[in-house]
Amino acid sequence: FVLELVQNCDDCLFGPDVEPALVVDLSATRLEFRSNERGFETRNVLALCSIGESTKALQAGYIGQKGIGFKSVFKVSRTPAIHSRNFHFEFCAPSNSPNVDKGVLGYIIPSPLPIPEGWDARRGTLVVLPLDFSSSASCTVDLEDLRQNLLDIQASLLLFLNKIVSIQVRDTSRACAAIAPRGRGNSGGGAQ
C-alpha cells in the first residue's frame, strides 16, 4: 500500500512553481502522507469513493488508472482520513461485519470530518491512516514491518516517478528520518 500512495501522489497535479514533494510521517499510532499537490477536485473524491472509477483512466503520463489503489490502505487502517482543499472526510470499515475476518471489506461510505485546526485549503493533501493493531485478518499492523517498508524506500524509486522530486520519511516513534531528493537538473533520473 505504501507504493500505491507514493504512486497516487506522483499522479497528482502540482502548481508550476512547486517542487513536487511527499512527506511520510510514522508515529506509534498513525501514518501520514503529505503532498504539496494542488488538491482534490470533486471528481477525485467521487473516484476515490468508487471501485473501478479513476480520474486517470486513459490519460497519458499516469501510472495508476484502475480505481482500486487507494483501497489498499485498508490493510493497515480501518479509518483512513483525507484532507485536501475543502474536502475533509474519512472511511470507516465496519469492525463487526461477519466478512471482516474473511478479508472482505464490502461497502464503505465516506463520512465528513471537521476541518483540522489551522488548515489552509491551499496546502495540498494529507492522508491520515490511524493504525489498526487488532488481530483481524483483513486489517492488522506490524509496526516493525511497516517501519522497515518505509525506511526501505530508496532514492532510486524516484527514477520511476514522473513528478515527485523528493520523498522524506520521518519516524517520530524512533526520532529518525530518511530523505530521498532528486535534483531539478535530473530529467530522467539519477537520485542524488
Side-chain angles (χ1 to χ4, degrees):
F1 80 95
V2 171
L3 292 179
E4 288 288 345
L5 291 179
V6 170
Q7 171 186 307
N8 284 353
C9 178
D10 193 57
D11 286 339
C12 292
L13 297 175
F14 296 86
D17 298 330
V18 172
E19 187 170 276
L22 175 64
V23 176
V24 182
D25 285 312
L26 174 66
S27 74
T29 59
R30 61 198 262 166
L31 180 61
E32 295 182 356
F33 288 77
R34 295 176 190 275
S35 167
N36 60 350
E37 57 121 355
R38 286 186 179 171
F40 280 27
E41 296 176 359
T42 302
R43 65 190 181 95
N44 302 115
V45 175
L46 293 173
L48 193 64
C49 295
S50 303
I51 292 181
E53 299 292 325
S54 175
T55 57
K56 301 178 251 183
L58 304 176
Q59 293 182 27
Y62 290 102
I63 300 169
Q65 55 187 336
K66 295 162 193 69
I68 59 171
F70 176 79
K71 283 74 171 181
S72 65
V73 301
F74 288 103
K75 290 180 180 179
V76 297
S77 181
R78 288 195 187 283
T79 55
I82 295 178
H83 302 279
S84 187
R85 286 193 184 175
N86 292 316
F87 297 102
H88 307 279
F89 59 96
E90 72 178 345
F91 296 95
C92 293
S95 59
N96 58 355
S97 167
N99 292 324
V100 168
D101 291 334
K102 298 175 187 168
V104 177
L105 282 174
Y107 291 102
I108 300 174
I109 298 171
S111 302
L113 287 174
I115 298 171
E117 186 175 323
W119 180 258
D120 180 352
R122 300 165 296 176
R123 73 189 295 177
T125 296
L126 170 63
V127 176
V128 179
L129 305 175
L131 300 175
D132 186 349
F133 294 101
S134 70
S135 60
S136 168
S138 65
C139 178
T140 186
V141 175
D142 179 319
L143 191 58
E144 286 303 316
D145 284 348
L146 182 55
R147 180 178 287 121
Q148 192 58 50
N149 284 335
L150 292 172
L151 295 177
D152 282 347
I153 293 176
Q154 301 291 322
S156 59
L157 173 64
L158 293 168
L159 295 170
F160 302 99
L161 299 175
N162 296 315
K163 300 173 188 169
I164 302 278
V165 296
S166 81
I167 300 173
Q168 181 177 8
V169 177
R170 301 184 296 211
D171 182 352
T172 58
S173 69
R174 283 202 174 160
C176 62
I179 301 173
R182 177 174 65 195
R184 271 275 197 217
N186 290 343
S187 64
Q192 295 183 359

